[in-house]
């Protein structure tokens, strides 16, 4: 709503700023300005970019303290009301100041004052970008790579099978908002369902927001989308914008602007894409909706999946949540009838799900962690020219280095954690902490007894890779984990090699488990799954089951005879039994029953307060203090009877980078009660935090506890 100033000197703006203070800030403004426009304002000794969220007739503080807006940014239209509404919701739901929610949601160049005021600002980042794009347009456009050969999804849409057709029809029939939970076994062709549903929305001239959990899944889908648009007469590749954290600030700004201006018809991205303004949004797709990567782990700890559902509701558009192993939260919604349940029960190609075999390792002699059965099966598959995936969720060479004479083990000096043995590219070994990132040399002798015989214990991807190179000298081996893919583009290159058949054995962590449609992979071997079996977190079994279903689902996708061999000391665990039967329903029922009995989510709602201090005692003290706040001021708190505040406890890894941590869990059977409690409590926490040297963070709907 444009505001015409009547008296120039009585115009004020209320601004949201990315500063760790609650509340909004009022400034005088001598120019016309709209809600949703950005301004540059003085704050302390700095200039900050902020968002105008209100036009008060008088400032909330004494007039003599009110400073003046330095610059009104008019390089793009004011952000729309629905976008501001989403930010406001996120701010209230996740209990963070509006400015700390809103500003980080913008591409970095749009929120840096220096991008507008510096000597070389040249009108700001938007105008600079537009000038550059204009120049590019004059040159002939380069080929966008839509013809790359390693994409598995062909430009020609396959004829959908009955289940896929029904799924597409269900989505297409939705007018207004509804959530479809698309549960399809691995290889059931969920991607085709998404593409068809998207196509219909695009034909209506509306935009599609397509979320994937990992950067590595974007290239495969990007190619599919581009190829499909081109072949269906869609005019140009420009209709697609991609957004993820691997992009430069400039690239991200370009995608964001093209989506905001409606030039991009599809926005494909990781969780950060959820906050992009989309003027003609018609459909939101969240692939692998159960994936932990949708949850931001610092700053605003939002769930992109949950925001997607909220946004779909707010905009009155359908939301499709897809997965082979839906989160128990979403599955429960579907069972209760709040989401529409759509099932794809068979693989789209004419192949069965892989056979899952348990290799009982209790009485076996293992060779570097491999059972004779697994090695034999690998040999056979390799002999038939098929690919093999060895899955082990542990990177590095060995999880710990130890002294065989005195029992010394390598430990990070700054964390309560082992330091992990890593091999550098040069072959030299280093000790690395996976918690603080600290690194150090490998001691030549035991620091405790001087013995020279230090041995790596256990194994990670690097050691597995080394062993397999000896064991299968002919085989071409690739390792895909966070270390081997650190350089930009290296993950894409490695996956392309696998798709092109240049790799025989793939060793990888959970990075290789999801989404990828490997054509020639016959066997999946799973090592050390047991290590995840007895974790404390109540979601651990759910996560393990999902991960194993995903990785198992990489086997035999394009031809019959896929096989999974899982090595375990506990073949009778319910998680494994369910996996063997590909029985999501059974597992979900078992897990939901257990959650219900214990009153855990989705039968309750949680928030987690984590405190960090120099010493654990400080953190615990802070938590104990704030735990008592509601009792001390019951008049300020509503529905306290519905709230459970548990005892503060140290985190599993107590110390990280010399900071000691403890947590306090808040739980309620009622989401509104929890929300009202948190609104009051987070105010009080802010006060308490100001007087304390302890730092804290509050997470709503925590994923890991
Ligand atoms: P999901 O994501 O459900 O695990 P994908 O979407 O990767 O499965 O599809 C698995 C494979 O099946 C892909 O190679 C895809 O090209 C193929 N596919 C999908 N739908 C069909 C269909 N209707 N007919 C034949 N092949 C199909
Ligand atoms: Zn020793
Ligand atoms: Zn450390």
């Amino acid at each position: 709503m444009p505001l015409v100033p009547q008296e120039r000197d009585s115009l004020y703006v209320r601004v949201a700023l990315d500063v760790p203070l609650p509340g909004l800030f009022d400034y005088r403004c001598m120019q016309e300005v709209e809600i949703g426009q950005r301004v540059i304002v003085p704050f302390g000794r700095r200039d900050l970019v902020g968002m105008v969220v209100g036009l008060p007739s008088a400032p909330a503080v004494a007039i003599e303290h009110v400073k003046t807006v330095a610059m009104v940014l008019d390089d793009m239209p004011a952000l729309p009301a629905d976008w501001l509404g989403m930010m406001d919701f996120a701010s209230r739901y996740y209990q963070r100041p509006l400015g700390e929610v809103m500003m980080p949601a913008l591409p970095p160049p749009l929120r840096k004052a220096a991008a507008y005021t510096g000597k070389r600002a040249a009108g700001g980042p938007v105008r600079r970008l537009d000038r550059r794009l204009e120049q590019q347009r004059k040159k002939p456009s380069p080929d966008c790579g839509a013809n790359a050969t390693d994409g598995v999804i062909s430009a020609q849409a396959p004829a959908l099978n009955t289940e896929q057709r029904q799924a597409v029809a269900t989505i297409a029939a939705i007018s207004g908002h509804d959530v479809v939970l698309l549960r399809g076994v691995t290889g059931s062709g969920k991607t085709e369902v998404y593409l068809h549903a998207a196509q219909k929305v695009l034909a209506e001239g509306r935009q599609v927001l397509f979320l994937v959990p990992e950067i590595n899944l974007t290239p495969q889908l990007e190619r599919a989308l581009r190829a499909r648009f081109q072949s269906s007469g869609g005019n140009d590749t420009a209709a697609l914008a991609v957004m993820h954290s691997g992009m430069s600030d400039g690239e991200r700004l370009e995608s964001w602007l093209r989506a905001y201006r409606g030039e991009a018809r599809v926005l494909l991205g990781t969780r950060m894409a959820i906050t992009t303004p989309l003027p003609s949004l018609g459909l939101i797709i969240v692939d692998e909706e159960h994936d932990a990567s949708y949850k931001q782990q610092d700053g605003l700890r939002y769930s992109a999946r949950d925001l997607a559902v909220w946004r779909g509701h707010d905009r009155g558009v359908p939301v499709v949540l897809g997965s082979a192993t839906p989160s128990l939260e979403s599955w429960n919604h579907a069972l209760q009838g709040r989401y529409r349940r759509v099932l794809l029960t068979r693989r789209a190609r004419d192949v069965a799900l892989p056979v899952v075999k348990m290799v009982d390792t209790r009485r076996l002699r293992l060779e570097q962690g491999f059972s004779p059965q697994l090695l034999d099966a690998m040999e056979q598959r390799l002999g038939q020219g098929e690919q093999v995936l060895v899955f082990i969720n542990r990177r590095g060479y060995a999880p710990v280095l130890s002294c065989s004479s005195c029992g010394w083990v390598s430990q990070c000096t700054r964390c309560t954690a082992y330091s992990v043995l890593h091999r550098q590219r040069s072959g030299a070994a280093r000790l690395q902490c996976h918690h603080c990132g600290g690194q150090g040399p490998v001691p030549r002798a035991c620091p405790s007894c001087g013995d020279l015989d230090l041995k790596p214990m256990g194994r990670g991807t690097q050691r597995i890779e080394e062993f397999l190179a000896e064991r299968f000298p002919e085989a071409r081996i690739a390792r895909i984990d966070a270390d081997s893919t650190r350089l930009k583009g290296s993950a894409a290159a490695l996956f392309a090699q696998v798709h092109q058949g240049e790799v025989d054995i793939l060793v990888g962590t959970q990075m290789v488990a999801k989404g990828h449609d490997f054509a020639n992979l016959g066997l999946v071997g799973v090592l050390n799954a047991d290590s995840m079996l007895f974790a404390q977190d109540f979601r651990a079994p759910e996560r393990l089951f999902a991960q194993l279903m995903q990785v198992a689902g990489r086997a035999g996708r394009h031809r019959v005879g896929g096989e999974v061999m899982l090595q375990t000391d506990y073949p009778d665990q319910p998680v494994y039994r369910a996996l063997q039967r590909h029985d999501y329903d059974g597992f979900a029922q078992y897990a939901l029953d257990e959650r219900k009995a214990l009153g855990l989510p989705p039968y309750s709602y949680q928030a987690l307060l984590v405190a960090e201090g120099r010493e654990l005692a400080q953190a615990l003290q802070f938590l104990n203090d704030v735990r008592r706040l509601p009792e001390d001021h019951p008049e300020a708190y509503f529905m306290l009877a519905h709230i459970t505040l548990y005892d503060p406890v140290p985190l599993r890894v107590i110390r990280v980078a010399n900071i000691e941590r403890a947590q306090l869990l808040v739980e309620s059977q009622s989401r509104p009660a929890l929300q009202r409690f948190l609104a009051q409590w987070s105010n009080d926490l802010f006060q308490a935090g100001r007087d304390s040297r302890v730092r804290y963070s509050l997470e709503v709907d925590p994923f890991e506890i």
Side-chain angles (χ1 to χ4, degrees), residues 412 414-415 433 435-436:
C412 178
R414 312 193 312 145
C415 310
C433 173
H435 293 273
C436 70

Side-chain angles (χ1 to χ4, degrees), residues 382 444 504 546 613 673 682:
L382 292 171
R444 288 191 41 231
D504 303 311
S682 61

Side-chain angles (χ1 to χ4, degrees), residues 147 171 416:
N147 305 323
I171 300 166
T416 41

Side-chain angles (χ1 to χ4, degrees), residues 93-94 295 301 303 306 539 604-608 671 674-675 678 699-705:
Y93 187 79
Y94 293 110
K295 185 90 200 231
R301 292 159 190 253
S303 152
D306 294 350
R539 283 196 181 86
S604 65
Y605 305 91
Q606 299 180 325
L608 190 68
R671 203 199 290 271
L674 182 63
Q675 280 291 311
L678 292 178
E699 180 172 6
V700 179
D701 303 331
F703 202 74
E704 267 175 86
I705 293 173

Side-chain angles (χ1 to χ4, degrees), residues 427-476:
R430 306 255 311 158
L431 286 171
Q432 228 183 67
C433 173
H434 287 186
H435 293 273
C436 70
Q439 287 201 19
V442 174
R444 288 191 41 231
C446 173
S448 161
C449 76
D451 196 306
L452 290 175
D453 194 20
L454 295 179
K455 287 210 174 72
M457 302 259 288
R459 52 198 73 77
T461 45
Q462 290 183 327
R463 196 173 189 183
I464 296 295
E465 181 188 19
E466 181 187 86
F467 164 70
L468 291 174
E470 280 168 28
R471 184 67 172 65
F472 300 101
E474 322 286 54
R476 296 160 300 174

Side-chain angles (χ1 to χ4, degrees), residues 621-642:
Q621 181 66 49
F622 177 82
L623 294 178
N624 273 312
D625 291 347
V626 298
R627 184 173 185 267
R628 273 193 296 272
L629 286 171
E631 294 163 33
D632 296 346
H633 307 279
E635 73 288 350
Y637 287 86
F638 299 91
M639 303 202 270
L640 254 190
H642 297 270

